[in-house]
Amino acid sequence: MPRNIRRWRWGILGAVLGGVTPVLAAAAPRPNVIMLITDDQGYGDLSCHGNPVVRTPHLDRLHAESVRFTDFHVAPMCTPTRGQLMTGVDALRNGAMNVSSGRTLLRRGLPTLPGMLRAGGYGTGLFGKWHLGDNFPHRPHDRGFDRAMWFPSSHLGSVPDTWDNDYQDDSYRVNGEVRKFQGYTTDVFFREAMAWMGAQRDAGRPFFCYLATAAPHGPLHVPAKYREAVRPRLEAALDRLPQLAPAARDNLVKFLAMIENLDENVGRLEDWLRREGLRDNTVLLFLTDNGSTMGHRYYNAGMKGAKVTLWEGGHRVPLFVRWPAGGLGSPRDVPG
C-alpha cells in the first residue's frame, strides 16, 4: 500500500473513528464531530503556513489549538478524496475515482462514515459539496446522512446545477427537495449547519456535521468587501511574489477573498460552539480536498505542483484536529 494512502487511512479514520468509537463503547458523553473540508484550498493558502497575503486569523487560532498533521496527504483531486474520506476504501476500489465520466459514484453496499455514526445514535448532516453521485441510490441522503443540504456535481453553476446559481442567493437540494436560500454560499452553509447542530443538541442527540464548502473552488465569486480587503495586500506583496499577469492577479484576489470569507465563518462557528457550550466535547477537524489551484502561481509553502498533479503540492494538505475534552494532549505537530 502506498505510503500516502496508508497515512490517509490512519490519519482521518483514526482521528474520527478512533476518537469516537472508544467513547461510545465506554458510554461516556459522546462527542460531536464537525468535519470542515474546503475545496481547492492548498497547504500554503493559510497565514499560519507562511502565506504573505491572505489573513486567516480564525483558522490560525484553530491551528494553534490543534494536533496538526503536517505530512498529511489526500488524492490530488476532489472526488477520490471525498470517497476515501466517506468509506476508508481506496478510490480505485470504492468506484469514485474521477471527477466526471460516470466515475464519481461510490460502490453500493460499502459502509460509509455517516452511516456508521448514524447506526451509533448520531444525527448526521451534510452542508455543501458531495460530488459522489447526484441520483438515487448515490445521493448523500441515500448514503447515511439524515439531512443533506447540497448541490450536484463539482461546483456551483455546473451543468446539472440549478440554473443561475452563482454563489449568491442560490438554490440547494435539501434531501430530495430544491429550496432557495438567501446569502453568500459559505455564509449559508455555515448558518444552516449551526441551526441543524443546535436542533440535534436540543434533541439530546450527538451529531456528525460534514461541512463541505463550495469555496474557494471556481467560479471565483465573492462579495466586494472581501476583494477590497485583499487587493491592497496583494499589491504590497508583489515584489516578493512571482510575476503575475493582470488577469491572474485579479483571480488571485478573488480566490484569497473567498478564503477570508470562509475564515470569518470559522470565527462565527467558534463563537457559536463556545456560546452553546459545545466546544469542549466536539471533535473539530479541518482539512482540504486537494492541493491549491492558485498556490503554484504565488506561494506554495515550498512545494512543487498544484491540484491534479502528483507533485507534493497536488496532494499534501492541512489536517487540524481539536477535541478539548478528548485527552489528545497539547497542541503539536505530528510530522509523519
Side-chain angles (χ1 to χ4, degrees):
M1 184 184 299
R3 183 166 171 253
N4 65 309
I5 298 299
R6 188 166 63 242
R7 183 181 296 121
W8 171 81
R9 286 188 174 182
W10 296 114
I12 280 289
L13 294 187
V16 178
L17 296 181
V20 171
T21 304
V23 177
L24 287 171
R30 293 174 292 177
N32 305 301
V33 182
I34 301 173
M35 186 177 292
L36 170 59
I37 181 170
T38 64
D39 197 349
D40 286 355
Q41 180 180 7
Y43 187 92
D45 297 321
L46 293 159
S47 49
C48 59
H49 287 165
N51 191 287
V53 181
V54 76
R55 290 181 180 170
T56 53
H58 303 292
L59 285 166
D60 293 355
R61 185 170 62 244
L62 177 62
H63 170 275
E65 296 171 346
S66 296
V67 176
R68 305 172 292 266
F69 293 78
T70 60
D71 194 17
F72 176 74
H73 297 256
V74 294
M77 57 184 177
C78 53
T79 287
T81 292
R82 293 163 194 270
Q84 291 173 163
L85 188 62
M86 290 293 104
T87 63
V89 176
D90 182 78
L92 293 179
R93 294 188 61 195
N94 70 33
M97 65 190 76
N98 201 347
V99 297
S100 62
S101 310
R103 293 182 174 89
T104 67
L105 308 179
L106 286 176
R107 279 172 39 209
R108 297 178 67 176
L110 280 177
T112 65
L113 178 57
M116 289 186 283
L117 289 172
R118 183 164 69 178
Y122 276 68
T124 55
L126 162 67
F127 299 86
K129 180 170 174 172
W130 175 239
H131 207 186
L132 295 171
D134 301 339
N135 302 301
F136 176 85
H138 300 287
R139 302 165 301 180
H141 49 293
D142 303 321
R143 301 308 302 263
F145 285 103
D146 298 322
R147 182 174 179 83
M149 177 187 172
W150 59 291
F151 56 90
S153 193
S154 59
H155 61 279
L156 290 170
S158 64
V159 171
D161 196 15
T162 303
W163 175 254
D164 212 27
N165 269 5
D166 62 357
Y167 285 62
Q168 184 71 38
D169 301 336
D170 291 333
S171 296
Y172 302 108
R173 302 181 185 195
V174 180
N175 292 10
E177 176 189 0
V178 177
R179 291 177 49 195
K180 191 174 183 64
F181 292 83
Q182 296 298 310
Y184 181 65
T185 176
T186 310
D187 301 340
V188 170
F189 288 140
F190 273 80
R191 182 184 74 216
E192 295 299 315
M194 287 186 280
W196 176 83
M197 289 187 282
Q200 301 306 299
R201 186 273 317 279
D202 293 346
R205 186 183 303 121
F207 56 78
F208 168 61
C209 179
Y210 182 44
L211 184 47
T213 64
H217 193 295
L220 302 174
H221 300 318
V222 63
K225 69 175 184 176
Y226 299 99
R227 300 194 306 268
E228 291 164 0
V230 169
R231 193 177 301 278
R233 275 186 266 123
L234 177 61
E235 297 291 337
L238 286 177
D239 61 346
R240 293 176 281 137
L241 302 177
Q243 186 172 359
L244 292 169
R249 192 181 307 172
D250 191 58
N251 283 337
L252 180 55
V253 166
K254 290 182 281 189
F255 176 80
L256 296 179
M258 294 171 85
I259 293 173
E260 294 200 359
N261 166 268
L262 192 154
D263 182 79
E264 185 176 272
N265 277 285
V266 171
R268 293 191 184 105
L269 174 63
E270 292 278 48
D271 289 345
W272 182 83
L273 289 171
R274 188 174 289 106
R275 186 169 63 248
E276 299 296 320
L278 294 170
R279 182 182 182 275
D280 286 351
N281 202 34
T282 294
V283 183
L284 176 57
L285 303 101
F286 167 74
L287 70 156
T288 71
D289 64 345
N290 44 244
S292 179
T293 51
M294 297 294 290
H296 64 295
R297 297 176 180 269
Y298 78 112
Y299 174 79
N300 217 19
M303 295 184 288
K304 182 176 182 178
K307 176 183 176 178
V308 308
T309 74
L310 297 181
W311 300 107
E312 190 174 38
H315 50 80
R316 181 183 166 203
V317 301
L319 172 62
F320 309 156
V321 182
R322 188 190 70 196
W323 182 12
L328 299 182
S330 301
R332 63 195 183 277
D333 291 339
V334 177

